[in-house]
Amino acid sequence: MAFEEKRAWVFLSVSVVGYLVYLAIVLGRIDGGRADTPYVAVMLWTIGAAIVAAIVLEVVLAATGAKEDGPQKDQRDLEIARFGEQVGQSFVVIGGLAALLLAMVEADHFWIANAIYLAFVLSAVLGSVARLFAYRRGLPW
């Protein structure tokens, strides 16, 4: 397995686990209205923890990987990374539009923040899945 493919697995895993932890904590705190649920600190901590976990796991991957499986990228890795980013960016746009619409209808900050966070997570998941698919099946062109 290529180093960049391993990185895609790490990014996918950390994104999903981080969001599930966030959901478990926030949903456990719901008492009455969802808009009154304290979510800001949980969101910031889970995002920060996910970033740190991804960095640590990639360092461990780089340190424990075979020498020929190092962090160097070839042309295929670059094309697959670009393909994954293009696929994942679609959800960033969708999340931005959803947040814009929520702001226009004067929704609570809770919903706007969570729509944006969900869009980032879906972008990371979809981009990682696209990369993994491209590594396993090849690029679609």
Side-chain angles (χ1 to χ4, degrees):
M1 186 183 303
F3 181 75
E4 292 299 318
E5 186 178 357
K6 292 176 185 175
R7 288 186 65 211
W9 277 110
V10 165
F11 197 58
L12 174 65
S13 303
V14 168
S15 299
V16 170
V17 170
Y19 191 68
L20 291 177
V21 167
Y22 169 76
L23 282 181
I25 293 171
V26 169
L27 292 178
R29 289 181 171 183
I30 289 179
D31 185 32
R34 290 188 182 113
D36 298 335
T37 304
Y39 68 94
V40 175
V42 177
M43 185 180 287
L44 293 175
W45 278 104
T46 54
I47 291 171
I51 291 170
V52 170
I55 291 170
V56 168
L57 288 173
E58 286 190 23
V59 168
V60 169
L61 275 179
T64 59
K67 193 169 188 170
E68 60 274 358
D69 189 30
Q72 66 276 2
K73 296 178 185 178
D74 60 10
Q75 185 63 31
R76 180 175 177 254
D77 290 329
L78 295 174
E79 290 178 10
I80 288 173
R82 187 178 61 203
F83 171 67
E85 285 185 22
Q86 288 173 344
V87 170
Q89 290 297 322
S90 62
F91 273 95
V92 173
V93 172
I94 292 170
L97 290 174
L100 185 64
L101 289 175
L102 287 170
M104 287 179 179
V105 298
E106 299 179 1
D108 292 321
H109 292 162
F110 175 85
W111 293 114
I112 296 171
N114 278 286
I116 293 171
Y117 187 32
L118 178 61
F120 285 143
V121 171
L122 290 176
S123 172
V125 169
L126 189 62
S128 297
V129 168
R131 278 188 214 144
L132 293 171
F133 183 81
Y135 274 109
R136 297 292 172 165
R137 307 273 181 182
L139 289 168
W141 54 82

